[in-house]
Amino acid sequence: LRKLGADMVCITPTWYMPNLNSTAIALSEDDTPTDESINHAVNYANSLGMKTMLKPLVDLSDGEWRGNIDFGVDEARWNQWFNSYKNFIAHYAVLAKNNPNVEVLCVGYDLALTDTRTTNWDDVIQRVRTEGYTGKTTYLANPQTFNTIMWWNNSNLDYIGVKADFPPIAEPITNTPTLQDLENGLQWPFSQIEATSTANGNKPVIVEFLFKSIDGVNTGAPVTPEIVDLQEQADCYHATFNSCWGKTWLK
């Protein structure tokens, strides 16, 4: 990665819930990396001249999407889940506090149906600071919910995090888009990121975007059969970079 020019890496240790009905989050002896291995990776990246974002992740053992975690009007279960979540994120806040080579801690990732829980997320972010972590923080929001979150301006949260998996739907719509067609299609989603930044007074970071190497990937729709198209994939990446690179509102 360093030889390719990367100057920052994202390390993602994962804890698990059995299913969507569970309120308990726990490490897996088989699948959760040890703290020692995380520290080794962070320090090795630093030795190569790269910074590190630590992005702890909650996943579901049965394969359900974490974005569907939702306890409806059951406040008791919401509080149980967030208490478990705070213990999970506090573990990595302490690790980040004790390793100065962790530059950024992501306090949550793509938990879309929890995003309306402003008080609970304020408590999560406060818990990170209570553990003594003083570095930079972000939350990585789903592309469908980032502009509706009401707690972006929390004083303990440094950056708006965006999972910018916006399909660069070509304008005009075509299966053989030019780079300019793709950039036209990205104007609206990136204007929404800018507006969210302006409204909340802190700068976004785009932590993730990805495009499969298939024909029609720019449409965002399922494609069958999947036909390899390396050029369209490359064009989608280039269009995304061109749409946000150098913007003063973007961290």
Side-chain angles (χ1 to χ4, degrees):
L1 284 172
R2 187 58 178 147
K3 289 178 181 178
L4 289 171
D7 57 14
M8 193 165 192
V9 294
C10 187
I11 296 176
T12 308
T14 305
W15 287 23
Y16 295 87
M17 297 164 52
N19 51 59
L20 288 173
N21 293 319
S22 175
T23 59
I25 303 166
L27 61 82
S28 163
E29 291 186 359
D30 294 327
D31 297 317
T32 304
T34 64
D35 290 353
E36 290 80 9
S37 68
I38 294 170
N39 278 315
H40 172 78
V42 170
N43 294 335
Y44 183 61
N46 180 260
S47 74
L48 297 174
M50 292 191 289
K51 299 177 180 180
T52 295
M53 171 187 285
L54 187 62
K55 189 185 72 177
L57 180 67
V58 172
D59 240 335
L60 286 90
S61 299
D62 64 357
E64 278 281 356
W65 177 46
R66 71 191 70 85
N68 287 331
I69 296 169
D70 184 12
F71 302 106
V73 297
D74 193 334
E75 289 298 315
R77 295 182 72 208
W78 272 120
N79 289 330
Q80 290 169 7
W81 186 83
F82 268 104
N83 284 336
S84 185
Y85 190 92
K86 283 188 286 188
N87 290 333
F88 151 73
I89 202 66
H91 177 89
Y92 290 105
V94 172
L95 186 154
K97 175 186 71 173
N98 292 331
N99 190 328
N101 291 328
V102 176
E103 303 278 341
V104 182
L105 176 65
C106 185
V107 302
Y109 170 77
D110 203 10
L111 293 160
L113 295 183
T114 76
D115 288 349
T116 59
R117 308 288 302 185
T118 297
T119 300
N120 292 117
W121 277 110
D122 284 343
D123 289 345
V124 168
I125 299 163
Q126 181 58 44
R127 176 67 180 273
V128 167
R129 297 307 188 187
T130 300
E131 296 296 336
Y133 175 71
T134 58
K136 300 296 185 182
T137 55
T138 189
Y139 170 85
L140 180 54
N142 184 276
Q144 277 73 51
T145 63
F146 77 90
N147 58 350
T148 65
I149 290 175
M150 303 299 293
W151 40 272
W152 282 134
N153 57 4
N154 184 300
S155 61
N156 287 311
L157 193 69
D158 294 290
Y159 305 130
I160 293 170
V162 183
K163 182 173 180 278
D165 293 342
F166 309 109
I169 300 173
E171 292 184 10
I173 294 176
T174 173
N175 287 331
T176 55
T178 66
L179 188 59
Q180 187 60 58
D181 294 336
L182 296 173
E183 290 181 27
N184 292 343
L186 286 168
Q187 288 181 9
W188 185 85
F190 280 105
S191 72
Q192 294 300 297
I193 299 177
E194 181 180 7
T196 302
S197 172
T198 301
N200 290 278
N202 53 1
K203 289 189 176 183
V205 290
I206 295 174
V207 182
E208 174 184 314
F209 58 86
L210 55 99
F211 306 105
K212 296 176 74 174
S213 53
I214 59 173
D215 186 44
V217 69
N218 89 89
T219 67
V223 178
T224 305
E226 293 188 348
I227 300 171
V228 172
D229 190 336
L230 298 177
Q231 187 61 54
E232 185 171 338
Q233 180 191 39
D235 287 346
C236 286
Y237 278 112
H238 286 149
T240 303
F241 278 125
N242 290 348
S243 298
C244 64
W245 203 262
K247 301 295 186 183
T248 58
W249 49 265
L250 185 70
K251 176 61 178 180

